[in-house]
Amino acid sequence: MSPVIELIFRLIRRLLPPALQPWGEAAIREARSATRPGEALPFALGCLSWAVGESIRFRFSKLKQQGEEPVNLTDRIGPRSVAVSCGVGATGLGLIYMSAGGAPAHYLMINLAALAFGLVTLGILVLADRRGHLPAGPLSLLLGLVLLAVSLWGVSAGGVTRWVALGPLVIQPGMMVVPLMAVLFARSRDALSLAGVAVAALALALQPDRGMAAALAVGMTVIAFTRPDRRTIGAAAAAVLGFAAAMAQADPSPAMPFVDQILYSAFAVHPLAGAAVVMGAVLLVLPALAARRLSGTDQAACLVFGAVWAAIIAAAALGNYPTPLVGYGGSAIVGYMLGLVVCPRRAPEVGRSPVEATSGPDGDGPLLYAGQP
Amino acid sequence: MTRSRTLSPAARRVLAALVAAGAPGRHGYDLCREAQIKSGTLYPLLIRLEAQGYLSAAWQVAEAPGRPPRHVYRLTAAGCRLADEHPLPATRADEAPQGGLA
């Protein structure tokens, strides 16, 4: 069995409620016994869609039994877990759309592999952050310089330079870098971070990449409004200038099947496929709702995360830019997961008012509360 | 008072495949192929039929050595009656079998 199918099996086991585990095991063994080539993956994906549905039903019925509103889900499982679930759910809905649309099997595998890679990388970043090995300023500057290097020496197509070829894979580093930079700046607004944002804005203008330049501008503007000071206003100004410069240049990129314009074209495949794409896009911005229960840098980071992904989706709706997670493309999936590094693991306990929800400038430490009863 | 519901075409095809299988029963993979439905549609259906007593599911040791046991599904007496009451609808040449999205 291929690693992708084994990953699907693990997800099925993880998602199914305890009462349905024997059925899940039976389904997995059937997938393993598929004799015709290429039949195991569709069989496993069908079982995964069933497991996702059962998991959602099970969790909501548990919440109902406890007399709680589903809207308070973040209280129970933490903003980061909710956000990771949203990313996984959106990727799953994208797989359903691509299966229904007859996308090549390797498109599905690449998205699944990107999801696995993103989750592992997120785990590593969270661990590094917890141990204080993730300095936001130097990292932001490094990310900005990477983006600039891509603009200067990356893969070009039709006068646009925004890709990097890794063997047979072509990735779009901007999709990975911009969401992470934006949330890092929401948490740490030092001089190096500001320099990183300015370099990134310049890089996106040079590429040009209107979609990601818009996402950076929106993210920085949200920070400038929520935390107005000299640096945040400077970062917002640099990002908006970069966006304006990108808009002033022609971007003749054509629409690619299963990547661009799928918010519209998915409905032509099947109404359910269209609904899956729209639902997946909505899921991507849901983590921002956790901001209502947070404060300080955690609140700003959640708002910026939601704003950046809303801008990327809006760009995909308005132009030939990749539709993140629900369309083909691993860069957005990895970028989504990386951006969750600053999303707090736990929400404040009910009845306590959070102060700065992070323990220090590097965040993600134990939560501190004021007003102990 | 129990409410009788009309079975979906997919459910009728699964019942028909299980009737054809007889006492030996059928595995899930074979049912998907014979009833021409997706696995994501089959398993919720099997679970519902089993919960309502129309179907029995049992682990069956594989004939080939080294292969893990597989679930085999057989209709109960009530399941056979249900299949009799809900025969396959007359198929039209232009009507393709419907299944859930995989």
Side-chain angles (χ1 to χ4, degrees):
Chain A
M1 281 288 136
S2 76
V4 173
I5 297 178
E6 291 296 340
L7 176 68
I8 295 174
F9 292 164
R10 279 203 290 279
L11 282 172
I12 291 169
R13 289 191 181 105
R14 187 85 184 259
L15 288 168
L16 279 176
L20 296 181
Q21 284 291 334
W23 288 93
E25 196 53 45
I28 287 167
R29 289 183 186 182
E30 292 307 305
R32 286 190 199 284
S33 68
T35 48
R36 292 183 187 173
E39 276 196 345
L41 181 62
F43 192 96
L45 283 173
C47 293
L48 180 62
S49 73
W50 159 58
V52 168
E54 293 293 351
S55 172
I56 292 168
R57 263 193 295 279
F58 177 68
R59 281 162 213 281
F60 272 79
S61 69
K62 263 176 76 175
L63 283 172
K64 259 187 182 172
Q65 280 170 9
Q66 291 163 5
E68 289 192 25
E69 293 292 321
V71 74
N72 289 334
L73 201 63
T74 53
D75 295 349
R76 303 195 60 78
I77 55 175
R80 189 188 292 147
S81 299
V82 170
V84 167
S85 306
C86 288
V88 172
T91 307
L93 288 166
L95 294 179
I96 290 171
Y97 149 67
M98 286 195 281
S99 298
H106 72 269
Y107 280 23
L108 280 66
M109 289 179 195
I110 285 173
N111 274 21
L112 274 171
L115 179 63
F117 178 78
L119 287 170
V120 170
T121 314
L122 172 62
I124 293 169
L125 287 183
V126 165
L127 201 62
D129 192 31
R130 202 174 293 161
R131 293 179 179 178
H133 298 150
L134 201 67
L139 182 60
S140 288
L141 184 56
L142 178 68
L143 293 173
L145 290 171
V146 166
L147 211 50
L148 187 60
V150 172
S151 316
L152 298 174
W153 300 295
V155 174
S156 299
V160 175
T161 311
R162 65 173 81 123
W163 299 278
V164 168
L166 297 175
L169 279 181
V170 177
I171 61 167
Q172 186 181 344
M175 275 276 189
M176 302 183 198
V177 165
V178 169
L180 179 58
M181 276 189 91
V183 293
L184 285 175
F185 194 71
R187 200 169 71 177
S188 175
R189 297 170 297 281
D190 55 21
L192 282 179
S193 298
L194 174 60
V197 170
V199 172
L202 172 68
L204 294 170
L206 287 174
Q207 291 185 356
D209 186 344
R210 294 172 178 175
M212 297 317 297
L216 187 66
V218 168
M220 293 304 118
T221 306
V222 168
I223 298 172
F225 269 104
T226 53
R227 305 230 136 188
D229 62 30
R230 206 158 41 88
R231 283 184 184 150
T232 58
I233 293 169
V240 169
L241 274 175
F243 173 55
M247 287 298 288
Q249 299 169 73
D251 186 352
S253 308
M256 302 294 291
F258 301 107
V259 178
D260 305 314
Q261 297 290 328
I262 65 169
L263 286 166
Y264 311 109
S265 61
F267 283 96
V269 172
H270 192 282
L272 282 178
V277 166
V278 172
M279 276 169 55
V282 171
L283 274 180
L284 296 183
V285 294
L286 281 187
L289 293 177
R292 292 182 311 164
R293 308 277 305 161
L294 301 169
S295 67
T297 51
D298 282 342
Q299 186 183 50
C302 271
L303 282 176
V304 168
F305 183 85
V308 163
W309 286 99
I312 294 172
I313 293 163
L318 296 171
N320 291 338
Y321 297 99
T323 315
L325 280 81
V326 286
Y328 167 57
S331 304
I333 297 172
V334 174
Y336 192 85
M337 293 302 161
L338 296 189
L340 296 178
V341 66
V342 299
C343 200
R345 192 163 65 91
R346 292 194 199 97
E349 289 172 26
V350 176
R352 291 183 176 186
S353 64
V355 187
E356 285 286 303
T358 50
S359 59
D362 59 350
D364 205 44
L367 298 172
L368 298 176
Y369 300 100
Q372 296 277 351
Chain B
M1 196 172 105
T2 54
R3 191 160 56 106
S4 68
R5 292 177 60 184
T6 306
L7 288 181
S8 66
R12 289 170 193 245
R13 288 200 298 276
V14 169
L15 286 175
L18 286 166
V19 167
R26 277 282 186 275
H27 295 120
Y29 175 65
D30 301 325
L31 281 175
C32 277
R33 283 169 55 175
E34 288 174 24
Q36 293 181 281
I37 62 172
K38 301 283 167 74
S39 54
T41 309
L42 176 73
Y43 281 95
L45 188 58
L46 291 177
I47 291 168
R48 213 160 51 239
L49 289 172
E50 199 253 3
Q52 293 169 354
Y54 296 123
L55 184 84
S56 70
W59 290 105
Q60 185 184 50
V61 178
E63 288 171 8
R67 303 298 298 270
R70 292 167 67 185
H71 249 192
V72 65
Y73 307 104
R74 298 182 185 91
L75 285 182
T76 61
C80 291
R81 280 197 300 278
L82 184 73
D84 285 344
E85 291 163 11
H86 296 87
L88 277 175
T91 51
R92 293 207 313 261
D94 58 345
E95 192 178 34
Q98 293 289 308
L101 288 169

